[in-house]
């Protein structure tokens, strides 16, 4: 396939994400298999969400290959766009359960989200279970809360298995010399949390809907700046912080 050419979607499918069924159009029939139990039988529909053309073009220009795995990985943004209609969005972050509530650990790739969760599990066996290892679906509930749901995008570790749970808080992870926790005001949390929102951001109207979602999220859930001074000591301090919030 020439560098700047790409194939168009032609295979109908459906996926179930956080209780919502989304019609899809895939370039490759094999892509559906990456969604595992989230993939549903096709109903032969002609329309559905798909990876936007401009994303494929950018991917190919960067040296990527258009294949089923790339399509699966790229499907999060258009899925998140579609989920907005149902008061849901996908965030880049590891979600885990602690004492029947969920916590979301957000940071850029390579900052240490997985390392933190791994140490929590090693230091406190049986107290932590992972809901989603990479891209968590958050839902604004009618009761005024937020639920953290698993998704098929579990990261390189493949962490998943814990059921959805009410979200107790968001931790925006950074590296630093000394471990600390700073409670953000909703206004202070806008930029750190926005960096973790996954969407195509393809139109002004969509961005306004994303902003409205984030506004509601920050009104409902506390957010902390969590500076990691180095594991395992930072993980022990994180455990103490979580215990205080659950007290």
């Amino acid at each position: 396939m020439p560098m700047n050419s790409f194939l168009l979607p032609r295979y109908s499918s459906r996926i179930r994400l956080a209780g919502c069924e989304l019609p899809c159009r895939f370039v490759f029939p094999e892509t559906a298999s990456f969604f595992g139990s989230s993939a549903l039988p096709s109903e032969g529909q002609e329309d559905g969400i798909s990876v936007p053309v401009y994303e494929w073009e950018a991917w190919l220009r960067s040296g990527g290959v258009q294949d089923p795995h790339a399509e699966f990985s790229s499907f999060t943004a258009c899925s998140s766009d579609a989920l907005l209609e149902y008061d849901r969005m996908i965030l880049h972050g590891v979600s885990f359960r602690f004492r029947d509530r969920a916590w979301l650990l957000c940071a850029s790739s390579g900052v240490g989200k997985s390392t933190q969760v791994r140490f929590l599990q090693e230091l406190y066996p049986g107290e932590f279970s992972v809901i989603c290892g990479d891209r968590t679906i958050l839902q604004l509930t009618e009761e005024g809360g937020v639920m953290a749901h698993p998704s098929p995008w579990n990261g390189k570790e493949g962490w998943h298995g814990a059921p959805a749970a009410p979200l107790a808080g968001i931790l925006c992870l950074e590296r630093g010399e000394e471990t600390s926790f700073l409670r953000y005001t909703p206004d202070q949390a806008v930029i750190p949390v926005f960096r973790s929102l996954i969407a195509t951001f393809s139109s002004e109207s969509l961005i306004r809907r994303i902003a409205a979602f984030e506004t509601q999220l920050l009104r409902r859930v506390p957010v902390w700046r969590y500076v990691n001074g180095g594991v395992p000591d930072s993980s022990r301090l994180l455990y103490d912080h979580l215990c205080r919030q659950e007290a």
Side-chain angles (χ1 to χ4, degrees):
M1 184 168 52
M3 177 65 70
N4 293 321
S5 69
F6 53 88
L7 302 172
L8 296 175
R10 47 184 293 213
Y11 297 99
S12 298
S13 187
R14 291 181 300 147
I15 55 175
R16 181 184 289 117
L17 300 175
C20 303
E21 293 188 10
L22 305 179
C24 306
R25 296 279 287 174
F26 295 135
V27 171
F28 303 97
E30 300 87 354
T31 300
S33 66
F34 286 94
F35 286 89
S37 60
S38 297
L40 303 171
S42 170
E43 294 184 342
Q45 75 277 353
E46 294 185 1
D47 296 325
I49 62 175
S50 60
V51 177
V53 167
Y54 59 82
E55 287 199 16
W56 279 125
E57 291 176 331
W59 176 244
L60 293 173
R61 284 197 301 269
S62 70
V65 177
Q66 191 179 25
D67 61 16
H69 185 267
E71 184 169 38
F72 166 71
S73 297
S74 300
F75 223 77
T76 49
C78 57
S79 297
S80 192
D81 288 358
L83 286 170
L84 267 172
E85 181 179 347
Y86 306 97
D87 293 324
R88 294 155 170 82
M89 274 200 77
I90 302 174
L91 277 77
H92 181 202
V94 179
S95 53
F96 57 87
R97 285 181 68 116
F98 175 63
R99 299 181 182 176
D100 295 325
R101 294 207 295 172
W103 289 84
L104 184 66
L105 190 60
C106 295
S108 303
S109 298
V111 172
K113 300 185 299 296
S114 299
T115 300
Q116 284 292 325
V117 175
R118 184 179 299 109
F119 269 95
L120 287 174
Q121 291 179 317
E122 291 177 359
L123 292 169
Y124 309 99
E127 295 197 49
F128 294 88
S129 56
V130 176
I131 297 173
C132 186
D134 188 42
R135 304 177 194 181
T136 298
I137 303 172
L138 297 187
Q139 172 194 0
L140 305 177
T141 67
E142 294 181 355
E143 296 77 20
V146 179
M147 290 290 293
H149 293 267
S151 85
W153 298 281
N154 295 310
K156 59 182 182 296
E157 292 86 2
W159 283 347
H160 68 288
L167 186 64
I170 297 174
L171 299 157
C172 296
L173 180 64
E174 301 177 15
R175 286 178 177 167
E177 295 183 0
E178 185 175 349
T179 300
S180 63
F181 298 89
L182 172 66
R183 174 76 179 267
Y184 281 132
T185 67
D187 287 345
Q188 291 170 332
V190 169
I191 298 303
V193 172
F194 188 82
R195 294 191 186 108
S196 294
L197 297 175
I198 296 176
T200 64
F201 303 100
S202 56
S203 68
E204 180 179 346
S205 61
L206 176 62
I207 293 172
R208 290 183 182 276
R209 292 172 62 197
I210 293 168
F213 180 95
E214 184 182 17
T215 297
Q216 286 299 314
L217 174 64
L218 299 182
R219 286 175 178 171
R220 300 179 183 201
V221 176
V223 181
W224 284 268
R225 176 177 181 252
Y226 169 33
V227 178
N228 169 21
V231 292
D233 289 342
S234 64
S235 300
R236 294 189 178 96
L237 292 173
L238 174 56
Y239 180 80
D240 291 342
H241 174 79
L242 298 178
C243 289
R244 287 195 298 272
Q245 304 312 312
E246 294 292 337

